[in-house]
Amino acid sequence: MSLEDALDLARRQSPDVQAAEARAEAARQGSRAAGAYRWPTAGLEGGAIRSDDPVAAFGGRLRQGRFAQQDFDPSILNHPDALTDWSGAVGARWAPLDFGADAAYRAAKAEAEAAGLGAEWASRAAAFRAEARYVEAVAAGERLGAADLALQAAEANARRAELRLTQGVLTEADVLQTRAALEGARARRIDAERGLADARDRLAVAIGLPDGAVPLPTDTTFESTASVQDVDLGARPDMMASEAGVRAAHARVQQAGRSRLPRVEGFARLETHAMRAFSGVQRDWTVGFQLSLPVFTGFKITAMERAAAALETAAQRDHAQRLREGQAQVAEARRALESARQGSTAAEAAASAAEEAARLMRRRFDEGLVATADLLSAEAQAAGLRTRAVDARLSLHIASARLAFLTDTTTEDLPGGENR
C-alpha cells in the first residue's frame, strides 16, 4: 500500500480514532438533550386504582360525576365501599424562562465542540503514527537490503580467502576470519529480517488492519510538508478543544450562579375518570403557571459556584500550559528536523566514502597488498555506515512528519460549527 492509503486507513480504522468519534457523538447528543428545555414536554398517562380509602373513594366519585346526596351520609363517608377508578391524562409542561438551563445548554455545546475537535486531533495523531510506522517499515526493508549486501560481500570474501588459501598466499587463520565475518553477516541479516516483520506488524496495528494482514509499503521517498513559518497554535484542533473546555467551564460557573434566579414554568393537563374503562368517562382540565425562586438552599448554590469557579481556574491553567508546551514542542521539532537533515547528509556521505574504501580495499586484497583483517575491517565499517545512513533517513522523515503534525492548523470542515 502507498503512504496515502495507510494514512487514510489510520484515520478511519484506528481504534482510538473510533473511540474519540464515539465520545464526540455522545457529547453532541448530550448537547441536544441539554437544549431540550427550549421545547415543551408532553406525556400520556393511563391507569386504574381500586380502594376503600375514604379520601380516594370521595374524590373518585367526584371525578367520575357520580356524587349524590346520600354520599354525604357520615357512615358512607367514614366507611365507603371500594371504588374503582380508571383514569387517563395528557399533560404538557414548558419552562420558557430558565436561566440555569440556558447556561447548562451553552456549557454542553462547548463540551460537544471540544469533543469534536478532540476527535479531529485524534485522527491527525493516528495519521502521524501511521506515517511514522510506515517510514519505519520502509527503513526496515532498507536495513534488510543493506544486510543482504553485507552478506554477499562476506560470502565473496570467504570465497576469495578459500582461493588464496589453495594458492598458498593466505593461512588457515585468514580463512577462519572470513568465515567468522560471514556468519556474523548472516546473523545480522536474520536480525534485519525479524526487524522488518516487526515493523510491518506495528504498521498493521497503527492502521487498524485485521490479524494476519501484512502491509507492504510501496513508497520509498517522502516529501516534507513541515512548516518552517511561525504558526498560531491556538488554531490547532487540540488547542481549540482546550479553549472550548475553558468556555464550557465558564458556562458551568454561570449555570451555578443563575440557579439563584427565578424560573417560570407553565403547565396544562386534561384528565379522564370513569368507573369502567372506556365508558361513563368524565373529563376535567387544569392550566396554570408557577414561579419558583430559591430563597435558602443550605448554601448549596454558593458551594456549587465555588466548585465551578475552581474548575474554571483549573481549565484556564491547563489551557495555558498546553499552549506553552505546544510552543516548546514545535521549537524542539524544528531543531530536531534541522539536526536530522544535517545528520542524514553526513551519514550518506560517510556511507558512500566507506563503500568506495571497501571497494578499493577488495582490489588491494586481491593484489595481495593488504591483510585479511584490514579488508574485513573496511567491509564492517561500510556495512555499519550503510545501516546508519538508513537510520538517518528514517530520523529525517519522522522529524519532518512530526513537525508537520505539530504545525498543522488546517481548520476546514472542523467539528464545532466554525471555520476559524
Side-chain angles (χ1 to χ4, degrees):
M1 63 176 58
S2 68
L3 175 60
E4 190 58 39
D5 292 337
L7 299 187
D8 182 62
L9 284 174
R11 294 186 188 101
R12 291 187 291 107
Q13 298 184 175
S14 180
D16 55 341
V17 173
Q18 293 175 342
E21 289 176 346
R23 286 191 290 270
E25 176 62 20
R28 282 192 292 271
Q29 297 306 320
S31 176
R32 288 185 61 191
Y37 80 96
R38 297 171 298 173
W39 298 89
T41 60
L44 296 174
E45 300 175 15
I49 63 169
R50 182 170 177 79
S51 174
D52 64 354
D53 176 77
V55 175
F58 186 88
R61 287 182 179 278
L62 281 175
R63 295 189 185 95
Q64 293 174 4
R66 297 192 298 119
F67 206 85
Q69 183 67 36
Q70 61 269 22
D71 292 319
F72 283 103
D73 187 334
S75 62
I76 296 177
L77 287 174
N78 290 324
H79 303 287
D81 294 332
L83 178 137
T84 300
D85 184 35
W86 290 84
S87 63
V90 56
R93 305 184 75 88
W94 185 35
L97 186 63
D98 191 335
F99 298 104
D102 180 67
Y105 175 51
R106 288 190 289 105
K109 282 183 63 178
E111 289 165 354
E113 181 181 350
L117 290 165
E120 172 62 23
W121 184 246
S123 174
R124 296 186 186 188
F128 165 66
R129 287 194 302 272
E131 183 171 358
R133 296 294 178 263
Y134 190 97
V135 174
E136 287 173 357
V138 172
E142 293 182 358
R143 289 193 197 97
L144 180 58
D148 285 334
L149 291 176
L151 179 59
Q152 293 170 11
E155 290 172 343
N157 290 337
R159 288 194 298 270
R160 288 191 184 92
E162 293 283 354
L163 178 61
R164 301 291 295 279
L165 177 63
T166 60
Q167 295 173 348
V169 178
L170 295 182
T171 65
E172 186 69 28
D174 292 317
V175 174
L176 290 175
Q177 283 183 340
T178 59
R179 288 177 181 172
L182 173 60
E183 294 307 317
R186 184 172 286 115
R188 287 189 292 274
R189 200 268 177 198
I190 293 172
D191 189 62
E193 191 172 29
R194 175 199 57 78
L196 176 59
D198 290 346
R200 287 176 174 174
D201 281 347
R202 288 192 292 269
L203 175 58
V205 172
I207 60 181
L209 289 184
D211 291 342
V214 180
L216 303 179
T218 56
D219 293 338
T220 57
T221 59
F222 310 95
E223 295 183 2
S224 173
T225 58
S227 171
V228 296
Q229 304 294 327
D230 290 335
V231 295
D232 177 16
L233 289 186
R236 212 171 67 181
D238 62 325
M239 299 303 176
M240 292 171 66
S242 178
E243 189 269 337
V246 174
R247 285 189 282 111
H250 180 68
R252 293 299 181 190
V253 174
Q254 292 180 323
Q255 177 187 359
R258 290 182 178 184
S259 61
R260 300 179 186 276
L261 300 177
R263 179 176 185 270
V264 177
E265 183 180 31
F267 54 88
R269 182 179 180 86
L270 174 64
E271 290 186 90
T272 63
H273 295 271
M275 185 173 60
R276 289 178 296 275
F278 310 113
S279 64
V281 174
Q282 295 293 316
R283 296 179 178 84
D284 56 76
W285 55 267
T286 305
V287 295
F289 77 94
Q290 66 178 17
L291 172 68
S292 58
L293 177 67
V295 176
F296 179 69
T297 60
F299 306 105
K300 175 183 177 181
I301 295 177
T302 300
M304 290 172 58
E305 282 183 307
R306 291 175 179 174
L311 290 176
E312 182 185 14
T313 300
Q316 291 171 341
R317 299 295 183 272
D318 287 342
H319 180 58
Q321 180 67 9
R322 291 188 187 100
L323 284 173
R324 184 66 186 88
E325 289 177 350
Q327 292 167 350
Q329 288 172 351
V330 170
E332 176 187 326
R334 286 196 173 111
R335 291 190 293 268
L337 177 59
E338 183 58 29
S339 176
R341 184 178 289 117
Q342 296 176 8
S344 179
T345 301
E348 292 288 350
S352 297
E355 285 286 352
E356 181 62 16
R359 186 186 68 81
L360 294 175
M361 193 66 72
R362 283 192 292 271
R363 288 182 58 183
R364 291 171 63 83
F365 177 78
D366 291 339
E367 295 170 359
L369 299 178
V370 296
T372 303
D374 295 330
L375 172 63
L376 296 179
S377 176
E379 293 282 8
Q381 184 182 39
L385 289 175
R386 277 195 298 268
T387 301
R388 288 185 186 179
V390 172
D391 292 340
R393 287 196 299 273
L394 168 64
S395 297
L396 176 59
H397 296 326
I398 292 181
S400 175
R402 182 167 185 264
L403 181 56
F405 166 60
L406 292 175
T407 57
D408 184 5
T409 57
T410 304
T411 56
E412 294 181 5
D413 300 325
L414 282 183
E418 291 188 49
N419 183 344
R420 299 191 177 186

